[in-house]
Amino acid sequence: MTLIQPLRKVTSVHKDVSERLQKINPILAIEVRKILDENKAERHIRGGMATKLKYSHEKEDFVG
């Protein structure tokens, strides 16, 4: 029986999930890797949208 250690840092979650899952369930690991890669490829878009929304609210507060 393998003892699974708790995750320590948020930044290591993707790495831990992909490495641990590869050992436990390789087929599921492939599916998870696809999702993580897609998320990573799109995160700059979500960040830009969040920044745009943030500043649009500040502009409304300034005008109103």
Side-chain angles (χ1 to χ4, degrees):
M1 182 172 157
T2 303
L3 178 63
I4 297 177
Q5 298 294 321
L7 299 175
R8 291 185 180 87
K9 295 181 181 181
V10 174
T11 56
S12 66
V13 170
H14 285 196
K15 182 178 179 187
D16 287 344
V17 167
S18 60
E19 288 179 1
R20 290 180 186 175
L21 196 54
Q22 183 64 36
K23 295 175 185 174
I24 298 168
N25 187 339
I27 295 170
L28 183 59
I30 293 169
E31 293 179 36
V32 169
R33 172 55 40 204
K34 289 178 187 176
I35 293 168
L36 293 177
D37 289 343
E38 182 179 336
N39 186 35
K40 187 175 181 180
E42 294 174 350
R43 68 182 174 190
H44 69 283
I45 296 169
R46 288 191 303 275
M49 290 169 53
T51 302
K52 181 179 178 181
L53 183 61
K54 173 186 174 183
Y55 287 108
S56 70
H57 286 300
E58 288 181 7
K59 186 176 180 181
E60 289 172 3
D61 291 342
F62 182 72
V63 174

